[in-house]
Amino acid sequence: MSVVVAATFVAEPVANSLKVWSGAFGIPVNVQFAGFNQVQQCLMTPGSEFHQNASGLNVVLARPEDLLSNNDAGSLDAAESLLSAIASFAKSAPGTLVVGTLPPAVSSFFTSDRKAAETLRTLWRNRLAEIEGIRTLDFDEIVEQIGISAAGRADL
């Protein structure tokens, strides 16, 4: 199976894990990555990697934090623009589109307003739920469940 990943961050490190886990389930994959932060271009450009991968799996990995700008209106516009591109692709392009919801960025390098990031994260989740023709992979929930399970096993 051909898998094309477009992300708002450097996502290439997930390639090995994706190959190992898909192989464990008997699904060999060929993984390709779009250029850094080329998500919207992959969704909207007719000759892009996504459009050429009609029989494969196209994956969008976008962290709402990566869409933050110096003002709230700019951030909301960026998020709405990307969400519109996702909806347009899902409606008209062949193939399967998977969009990941990612956990918050945890880094000393992340200096943006956490409240603004959470507002974008909520908008992102709510709008994805309204878009027909996509599959969502809720990494945010997966990470939360792993934390809850680990906390339940901790010796306190």
Side-chain angles (χ1 to χ4, degrees), residues 4-6 38-60 80-99 127-128 131-135:
V4 177
V5 179
Q38 297 296 303
V39 178
Q40 200 146 350
Q41 291 82 344
C42 280
L43 293 163
M44 300 303 291
T45 305
S48 74
E49 295 93 330
F50 276 11
H51 287 272
Q52 293 176 14
N53 191 31
S55 62
L57 184 66
N58 295 306
V59 180
V60 169
E80 284 293 347
S81 179
L82 184 51
L83 288 160
S84 292
I86 289 169
S88 178
F89 183 89
K91 182 183 283 188
S92 63
T96 301
L97 181 62
V98 175
V99 181
R127 286 274 283 117
L128 283 177
I131 298 174
E132 291 186 33
I134 67 169
R135 306 249 194 264

Side-chain angles (χ1 to χ4, degrees), residues 5-16:
V5 179
T8 60
F9 55 91
V10 177
E12 283 80 356
V14 304
N16 287 336

Side-chain angles (χ1 to χ4, degrees), residues 6-45:
T8 60
F9 55 91
V10 177
E12 283 80 356
V14 304
N16 287 336
S17 294
L18 182 60
K19 289 177 184 177
V20 166
W21 283 104
S22 62
F25 290 99
I27 307 168
V29 296
N30 175 27
V31 183
Q32 178 185 352
F33 291 87
F36 172 74
N37 207 16
Q38 297 296 303
V39 178
Q40 200 146 350
Q41 291 82 344
C42 280
L43 293 163
M44 300 303 291
T45 305

Side-chain angles (χ1 to χ4, degrees), residues 57-124:
L57 184 66
N58 295 306
V59 180
V60 169
L61 299 176
R63 295 182 303 207
E65 292 89 345
D66 295 337
L67 305 174
L68 290 173
S69 67
N70 292 333
N71 63 62
D72 290 341
S75 299
L76 293 174
D77 288 346
E80 284 293 347
S81 179
L82 184 51
L83 288 160
S84 292
I86 289 169
S88 178
F89 183 89
K91 182 183 283 188
S92 63
T96 301
L97 181 62
V98 175
V99 181
T101 60
L102 303 171
V106 179
S107 169
S108 60
F109 299 108
F110 181 73
T111 58
S112 295
D113 179 5
R114 292 274 178 201
K115 185 175 180 183
E118 191 53 39
T119 298
L120 273 182
R121 180 173 304 291
T122 300
L123 168 79
W124 185 257

